[in-house]
């Protein structure tokens, strides 16, 4: 079985996320993709976030029409109810909640998979650019293959240079990559990175939060069920 793992803050989940997952599913014939909202994204610990339960609910709604897309509680907080509280606004993560490291999530998921299953870690190139700083980044490349949604302006050398130092090919190898756009596959001894090009949509959750705060329509950016949920619950992104 081919399995995808797609982690994110999903605050909120949008059409750019779905496009990435669809393209990965098609190209690698993924039997299922787990969408994993992080309770405490390690790189956004100081940023106010919508409570986990609302972000998870929106992931459920956005993935409902896709048979192979599964909402996952792999990074759910221990006490989801207490987390939500009575408010409808964004909150900073509770101080004692531990950050969700992808390496732990991947290992937890692999516990339920067979040895013969292939696991693909789905990610956008902006996030991949920072991957060398992630907790146990090398180990993550050892555990799964990467599928990166690239975008114009990035070269294959940028992708290779984003790898953790010990996995990076030598400069002599990457030099010719500088003129090649970030597409195709980068298969190295200790890392496999597949690139998906031509799918990046100019959508970000940041822009959507601004649109919500300004009471603009979200029609072009999110599933109608997600927009309805935001309105119905009165989620406050102001
Ligand atoms: P924010 O604007 O709040 O930083 P975001 O839109 O980047 O959020 P995340 O939930 O942080 O959304 O992203 C989850 C994953 O989806 C990351 O790997 C990110 O790179 C990727 N991603 C986000 N937007 C797009 C997009 N428009 N196209 C392809 N990948 C995307």
């Amino acid at each position: 079985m081919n399995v995808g793992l797609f982690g994110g803050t999903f605050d909120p989940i949008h059409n750019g996320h779905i496009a990435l997952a669809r393209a990965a599913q098609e190209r690698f014939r993924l039997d299922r993709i787990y969408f994993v909202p992080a309770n405490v994204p390690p790189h956004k610990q100081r940023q106010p976030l919508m409570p986990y339960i609302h972000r998870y609910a929106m992931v459920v709604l956005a993935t409902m029409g896709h048979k192979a897309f599964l909402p996952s509680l792999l990074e759910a907080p221990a006490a989801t109810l207490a987390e939500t509280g009575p408010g409808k606004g964004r909150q900073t993560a509770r101080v004692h909640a531990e950050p969700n490291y992808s390496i732990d999530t991947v290992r937890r998921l692999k516990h339920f998979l067979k040895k013969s299953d292939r696991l693909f870690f789905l990610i956008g190139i902006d996030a991949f650019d920072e991957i060398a700083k992630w907790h146990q980044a090398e180990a993550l490349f050892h555990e799964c293959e990467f599928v990166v949604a690239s975008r114009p302006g990035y070269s294959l050398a940028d992708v290779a240079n984003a790898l953790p130092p010990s996995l990076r090919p030598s400069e002599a190898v990457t030099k010719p990559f500088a003129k090649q756009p970030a597409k195709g596959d980068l298969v190295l001894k200790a890392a496999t990175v597949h690139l998906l090009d031509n799918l990046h949509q100019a959508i970000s959750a940041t822009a959507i939060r601004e649109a919500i705060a300004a009471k603009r329509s979200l029609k072009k950016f999110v599933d109608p069920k997600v927009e309805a949920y935001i309105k119905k619950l009165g989620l406050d992104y102001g």
Side-chain angles (χ1 to χ4, degrees):
M1 192 165 67
N2 290 343
V3 176
L5 190 161
F6 190 16
T9 310
F10 300 129
D11 192 20
I13 185 165
H14 56 67
N15 295 343
H17 298 131
I18 299 295
L20 192 166
R22 270 182 195 280
Q25 189 199 4
E26 254 172 53
R27 178 147 157 213
F28 301 101
R29 306 200 180 285
L30 303 182
D31 298 286
R32 54 182 65 166
I33 298 177
Y34 292 101
F35 284 68
V36 188
N39 177 39
V40 182
H43 58 299
K44 290 183 181 169
Q45 289 186 64
R46 300 222 173 120
Q47 193 175 309
L49 297 178
M50 197 47 76
Y52 174 89
I53 199 157
H54 291 311
R55 291 183 286 117
Y56 178 77
M58 293 188 277
V59 167
V60 172
L61 294 171
T63 54
M64 204 131 81
H66 308 264
K67 216 171 153 199
F69 294 180
L70 302 169
S72 164
L73 290 165
L74 275 167
E75 296 187 359
T80 304
L81 273 179
E83 203 86 15
T84 316
K88 292 173 177 173
R90 306 171 79 213
Q91 308 167 351
T92 35
R94 285 191 308 176
V95 272
H96 55 278
E98 293 294 321
N100 301 107
Y101 294 117
S102 295
I103 185 66
D104 300 329
T105 310
V106 162
R107 287 182 173 151
R108 205 171 304 144
L109 175 59
K110 282 183 90 169
H111 193 71
F112 299 100
L113 301 180
K114 293 203 191 95
K115 272 233 149 55
S116 56
D117 292 335
R118 260 175 100 181
L119 181 60
F120 296 84
F121 191 94
L122 278 44
I123 185 169
I125 200 155
D126 310 53
F128 187 81
D129 227 7
E130 303 287 313
I131 198 105
K133 294 186 201 144
W134 286 23
H135 182 58
Q136 293 191 29
E138 280 174 37
L140 201 52
F141 283 89
H142 183 72
E143 295 285 357
C144 49
E145 297 173 47
F146 274 71
V147 176
V148 180
S150 84
R151 44 181 178 138
Y154 280 87
S155 71
L156 214 46
D158 293 329
V159 176
N161 290 330
L163 292 168
S166 67
L167 306 183
R168 240 173 252 167
S170 71
E171 222 185 301
V173 174
T174 55
K175 215 170 174 195
F177 291 174
K179 289 194 182 117
Q180 293 178 35
K183 57 192 215 178
D185 304 292
L186 194 65
V187 182
L188 304 165
K189 218 192 278 173
T192 301
V193 181
H194 308 282
L195 291 145
L196 297 170
D197 59 326
N198 284 332
L199 73 91
H200 189 96
Q201 306 182 7
I203 303 178
S204 71
T206 306
I208 293 168
R209 291 193 296 272
E210 284 165 14
I212 298 167
K215 301 203 172 1
R216 291 200 301 272
S217 165
L218 306 182
K219 208 170 161 192
K220 284 193 199 147
F221 312 120
V222 304
D223 187 288
K225 291 189 283 300
V226 171
E227 182 169 15
Y229 182 87
I230 291 168
K231 283 211 181 112
K232 191 173 183 180
L233 277 282
L235 299 188
D236 183 3
Y237 278 96

